[in-house]
Amino acid sequence: MTERPITRRAALIRALEISAVPAFIAAGCRGRGKEGAAAGRQPLQVALVPCPDYDPERLLEAIRSGWASTRPPEIRGRRVLVKPNMVDVSADRPIHTDPRLVEALILHLVDLGASEIVLAEGTSHNRDSEWLFRRSGYEALAKRTGILLVDLNYDDLRPVKNVNPRATLLRELYLPENVLSADVLISLPKMKTHKLAGITLSLKNMFGVVPGMKYGWPKNTLHWNGIPMSICEINGTVKSHYSIVDGVVGMEGHGPIMGSARTAAVLVMGANALAVDATAARVMGVDPGRVDYLAMAHRIKLGSLNPEDIAVSGEKVERARKDFVLDPEYAYLRAPNV
Amino acid sequence: MGPIKTMSRYSALQALDFIKARRNPDGGWGYRPGGRSLVEPTALCLLALHSGGEGTAAAPGLDFLKTCVAETGSVGIAPTEREGSWMAYGALLAFHELGAAAEERRLTDWVLNFEDASGRFSPEELSSIAALFHYDASIRGWSWTPGMTAWVEPTALFVIALVRTGTPSTQERIRSGVSLILDRKVRSGGWNFGNPFSKSFELEATLMSTALALAALGAAGYPGDRPAVGQGFAFLGRALAGDVSTASLAWSLFALRAFPAGASIVPETAARLSGLQAENGGFRDNLFETALATLALEHPDALLPRRERPR
C-alpha cells in the first residue's frame, strides 16, 4: 500500500489519537468492530440501492427499499433532524445533496409518523445561508413540505463535553440546540472526493453541525485540530442515527466544490455511518482503510469498515463500483481491482 | 453631509419598533426573535436604536454588552463564552457610539493585539499555502477566533470597526489588514472567504465577502482607482444583477457608499433593500439583518467613517 507522507502535524495528531483510544473505548462508545462480528453479533446493515436518476417516485421507492433492510431508527412521534451537505451551491457542479432526494426522504419520514422534521445545515465557506438555501432549492422544499429550515451556524448553542476525555482541541464542543434536541439525526451527504480529506461522505458531513459563529468559516478550528481527528471527535460526540449517501450523481476530481459530476446511480444507506461510508468508498473505487479518518474512526470503534462486519443488501459493491477520479494527492486511496 | 435618507420615516420607525419589541429580558438580542442574546445582533440593534434617536431604549442592551467583556478586555459571542471572537467588531462600534469609553479603550487594545496564526507558520508551511491556495499566510489580519488563520471577512469587519472608532488608517494593523484583503483577492475580481485558489482551480468570489472587503478598503481610505477596487465593483455589479440575500444587499450598500465608483447604483440598491422590509417592520424576521439593513439605509455613518459620500 502506498502510504501518504507523514507531516509534523499529522505525526502529532497520530500520537494524540493513539493515547486517546483506550479512554474512548472505556467511555462506552457505540459501534462494533471485527471482534463483535467474530463474537457472533449481527453485522452492520448497509443497503446499496440502485437509483438511476432523481425521479421523485424512484427516489421514494429506493429510500423505502433501503430503509426496510437496514435496521433504521424509530421515527414515529420523534423529532427528526435531516442534515444534507451544502458546502456551496453551483449551477454547473453537483456540490450539494440534491433537493429531490431530501424531499423524498422528508415524505418518507412523514409517512413514518415523525412528529417534527427539521432541515438543517451550517455552511462551511460561504456564510450567506439565505442565498445558499434559496439557490440549493432547500428553501422552496421546506416551504412546500411545511418543515423548519435552520441555519446551524447561527442557532442557539450549548456546550457539550466530548465523550473522549483525551480529545484534543474539542474537549468541549459547542453545538446547536436544534442538533442537541433532535431525537433522530439523519446525515444526508453527497458522494464526493475531497481535496483535504480524500473523500467526503456521512462522517465528514457532520462538520456542518459545528456552528460557524463559534468556530468560524471555514470551520477553521477543525482544520487546525486535524481533519481526521475533528471528524472522529465530532462523530464521537454527536450521534447520527442514519445515513443516506446521495450517489445518484456524485462529484469526482477536485471535490468537494470544483470537481466534476460523476454518476454512480446508487443510494448507500444504513444506521452505522462508518459502515455506510466504507461501502460508499468502495463504490467510488477507494479502499476505506487508506482514508485517514475512516481508518481512525474504525480504530476508535465508531463502527467498522471491514467487509466481514458489514452485510450489504441490494446491489453488489463490485457491480456498483465506479472508479471516481481522485485528486492526484490522494491517488494512493485507490482500491485494487478485484 | 448628514445621513442619506432612503427609508420613509414610517418604515424606519417600524424597523426600530420591531427591534424594541423583540428585546430579550437580559437586555440583549439574538439573531431570531426569542433566540439567546449574542454580541453581534445586540451590538447592531444598539447601533440602529441609538442612531435612530432611541438612546433610552438602547441602555439595557449596552448593559448586556458590558457583561460580555472579559478580564482581558476581549468580547466573545455571549456573556458565558468570553474567549474573544470576531463578534467583538460589533461591540467595539457599539461601545464607541454609545459612549462606553472604558470598555471601548480596553477592547481597542485587545483588537489591536489580536493574534492570528500568521506568526506561527513555518517557512515550509508558508510555501505550501502559497503554492496550494495562492496567498501569503504571513500577512497579519484577523481570524474568527484568536490563534487561527486570518480570513477576509473578520479582517474586513475589524478594519471597519477600528477606523470608525478612531484608529488611524495608517496604523500598522489596519495597513496589514488592508494588505491581507488585497492579497486574498480572487484573480478574476472580487473576494470569497479567503482562498483565492485551491490547488489548480480559482475559487469563485461571493457577494458578501466582496461587499465586506470593499467596505473595509473604502473605510481605510484605499484609493478607488486601483484595479482591485474596479474589479471588485465589476463583480459586485454582476452579482447584484441576480438573486441576493438581505445581508449581502445591506453590506453591498455600505460598499457602494464607500467609493465614488459605487454612487450610480446606490439608489436602486437601496430601493431593493427597502423593498425587503416585511409588514411587521423587520427584515426576514431576523434582528441582526433588520438592524444591519436599517443602518445601511439610514445611518451608514454608524459603520463607515463620516465623509463625503455619493447620494
Side-chain angles (χ1 to χ4, degrees):
Chain A
M1 178 169 118
T2 311
E3 285 289 347
R4 184 182 193 174
I6 301 282
T7 63
R8 196 177 42 164
R9 186 176 296 155
L12 173 65
I13 289 166
R14 174 80 177 140
L16 289 166
E17 174 213 336
I18 290 165
S19 69
V21 171
F24 202 80
I25 296 166
C29 184
R30 70 189 185 284
R32 88 177 53 94
K34 195 173 181 179
E35 289 173 6
R41 292 182 190 168
Q42 288 185 311
L44 300 165
Q45 301 281 349
V46 173
L48 187 52
V49 189
C51 192
D53 56 38
Y54 290 106
D55 174 78
E57 291 297 323
R58 259 194 290 275
L59 283 167
L60 191 53
E61 186 50 41
I63 289 173
R64 284 177 179 149
S65 156
W67 189 269
S69 60
T70 49
R71 288 199 292 269
E74 177 61 43
I75 297 297
R76 183 162 301 281
R78 316 287 285 277
R79 184 172 194 272
V80 184
L81 186 138
V82 176
K83 163 67 179 74
N85 184 268
M86 188 181 66
V87 65
D88 209 332
V89 174
S90 165
D92 309 321
R93 301 182 302 278
I95 298 173
H96 67 291
T97 308
D98 195 284
R100 290 166 290 187
L101 175 61
V102 180
E103 187 157 0
L105 174 63
I106 287 164
L107 295 175
H108 178 62
L109 295 171
V110 169
D111 285 347
L112 292 175
S115 63
E116 187 181 5
I117 302 168
V118 180
L119 179 61
E121 170 64 308
T123 57
S124 299
H125 297 112
N126 184 350
R127 66 188 180 116
D128 196 349
S129 58
E130 179 194 348
W131 185 78
L132 289 168
F133 279 146
R134 202 155 51 230
R135 293 255 300 179
S136 64
Y138 295 166
E139 182 183 283
L141 90 81
K143 280 184 184 158
R144 206 161 47 238
T145 55
I147 64 166
L148 192 62
L149 181 64
V150 172
D151 180 356
L152 294 175
N153 284 327
Y154 292 102
D155 198 10
D156 284 354
L157 304 182
R158 190 161 25 113
V160 176
K161 292 281 182 208
N162 194 308
V163 293
N164 175 6
R166 297 192 189 184
T168 55
L169 289 179
L170 303 176
R171 289 188 185 90
E172 189 179 62
L173 192 57
Y174 282 78
L175 291 169
E177 280 292 347
N178 270 291
V179 169
L180 296 172
S181 63
D183 299 314
V184 176
L185 193 158
I186 299 179
S187 179
L188 199 58
K190 193 84 170 164
M191 182 183 280
K192 293 190 290 186
T193 52
H194 193 287
K195 66 180 192 280
L196 298 176
I199 56 174
T200 172
L201 297 160
S202 312
L203 292 168
K204 174 75 174 62
N205 186 38
M206 296 297 281
F207 259 39
V209 306
V210 175
M213 74 171 174
K214 175 70 180 170
Y215 297 101
W217 293 259
K219 314 283 169 92
N220 204 208
T221 308
L222 307 182
H223 295 154
W224 277 90
N225 193 31
I227 289 175
M229 182 61 99
S230 291
I231 291 172
C232 290
E233 290 187 355
I234 292 166
N235 282 277
T237 307
V238 185
K239 181 175 175 60
S240 65
H241 301 83
Y242 201 80
S243 301
I244 304 176
V245 178
D246 175 3
V248 179
V249 178
M251 179 180 277
E252 65 181 4
H254 200 67
I257 295 174
M258 300 303 292
S260 309
R262 178 64 190 264
T263 300
V266 288
L267 300 180
V268 191
M269 307 171 58
N272 182 269
L274 178 54
V276 168
D277 283 5
T279 306
R282 292 185 175 102
V283 169
M284 298 169 79
V286 164
D287 178 351
R290 300 181 187 184
V291 179
D292 285 352
Y293 71 87
L294 294 180
M296 186 186 289
H298 177 85
R299 286 195 295 273
I300 63 175
K301 300 195 183 296
L302 287 177
S304 176
L305 50 72
N306 290 332
E308 57 268 37
D309 294 330
I310 303 170
V312 179
S313 59
E315 183 62 281
K316 291 199 179 309
V317 174
E318 297 74 22
R319 285 189 54 181
R321 178 169 168 169
K322 304 274 189 304
D323 283 6
F324 277 42
V325 173
L326 300 172
D327 184 301
E329 187 183 342
Y330 290 96
Y332 67 92
L333 299 183
R334 176 69 73 217
N337 283 307
V338 179
Chain B
M1 182 173 113
I4 304 161
K5 298 290 180 189
T6 50
M7 287 173 109
S8 71
R9 179 67 186 149
Y10 176 71
S11 296
L13 287 174
Q14 259 199 318
L16 297 183
D17 285 346
F18 177 88
I19 291 170
K20 284 190 289 183
R22 287 157 182 80
R23 191 203 333 260
N24 287 330
D26 61 12
W29 288 267
Y31 286 99
R32 58 179 176 77
R36 183 178 168 220
S37 296
L38 295 162
V39 166
E40 191 189 38
T42 298
L44 272 287
C45 287
L46 285 178
L47 288 170
L49 288 173
H50 183 80
S51 302
E54 299 271 10
T56 309
L62 181 60
D63 291 341
F64 169 82
L65 218 48
K66 288 179 178 176
T67 67
C68 300
V69 180
E71 293 71 23
T72 58
S74 69
V75 170
I77 65 170
T80 49
E81 286 104 55
R82 293 185 173 212
E83 183 199 1
S85 86
W86 63 281
M87 289 195 191
Y89 90 89
L92 184 57
L93 288 164
F95 288 149
H96 176 81
E97 202 70 17
L98 277 75
E103 286 79 6
E104 180 191 349
R105 194 166 50 248
R106 294 176 65 212
L107 185 53
T108 300
D109 286 344
W110 181 78
V111 173
L112 289 173
N113 289 294
F114 185 105
E115 291 291 341
D116 65 0
S118 57
R120 292 162 51 195
F121 291 115
S122 68
E124 295 77 21
E125 286 170 325
L126 290 173
S127 298
S128 172
I129 291 168
L132 290 175
F133 303 113
H134 292 205
Y135 69 80
D136 181 353
S138 71
I139 301 175
R140 204 172 175 200
W142 283 270
S143 41
W144 297 100
T145 54
M148 300 289 143
T149 307
W151 299 103
V152 167
E153 292 188 20
T155 298
L157 291 167
F158 279 118
V159 166
I160 289 169
L162 284 169
V163 174
R164 178 64 190 86
T165 57
T167 300
S169 58
T170 52
Q171 206 275 348
E172 180 272 331
R173 286 304 300 265
I174 293 179
R175 287 164 60 101
S176 181
V178 167
S179 295
L180 182 141
I181 290 169
L182 294 171
D183 183 61
R184 304 288 184 96
K185 184 181 77 65
V186 174
R187 191 178 295 166
S188 58
W191 285 264
N192 58 32
F193 65 98
N195 269 1
F197 234 83
S198 178
K199 295 188 177 174
S200 52
F201 293 89
E202 177 179 305
L203 297 186
E204 293 161 353
T206 60
L207 180 56
M208 189 182 289
S209 298
T210 299
L212 276 165
L214 286 170
L217 292 176
Y222 187 75
D225 58 358
R226 299 291 172 83
V229 175
Q231 291 166 4
F233 274 115
F235 173 80
L236 195 84
R238 290 194 300 274
L240 286 174
D243 179 31
V244 296
S245 69
T246 309
S248 284
L249 202 50
W251 284 120
S252 295
L253 202 46
F254 283 110
L256 294 170
R257 285 177 160 158
F259 288 102
S264 63
I265 57 170
V266 164
E268 67 184 79
T269 308
R272 192 173 173 190
L273 180 58
S274 294
L276 297 178
Q277 189 173 19
E279 283 185 9
N280 65 6
F283 287 73
R284 266 197 355 124
D285 237 5
N286 181 302
L287 275 312
F288 166 75
E289 290 177 19
T290 300
L292 184 70
T294 304
L295 290 165
L297 290 165
E298 286 284 283
H299 310 290
D301 291 340
L303 269 74
L304 295 178
R306 289 189 174 87
R307 64 179 185 186
E308 195 67 25
R309 283 199 210 95
R311 280 188 177 274

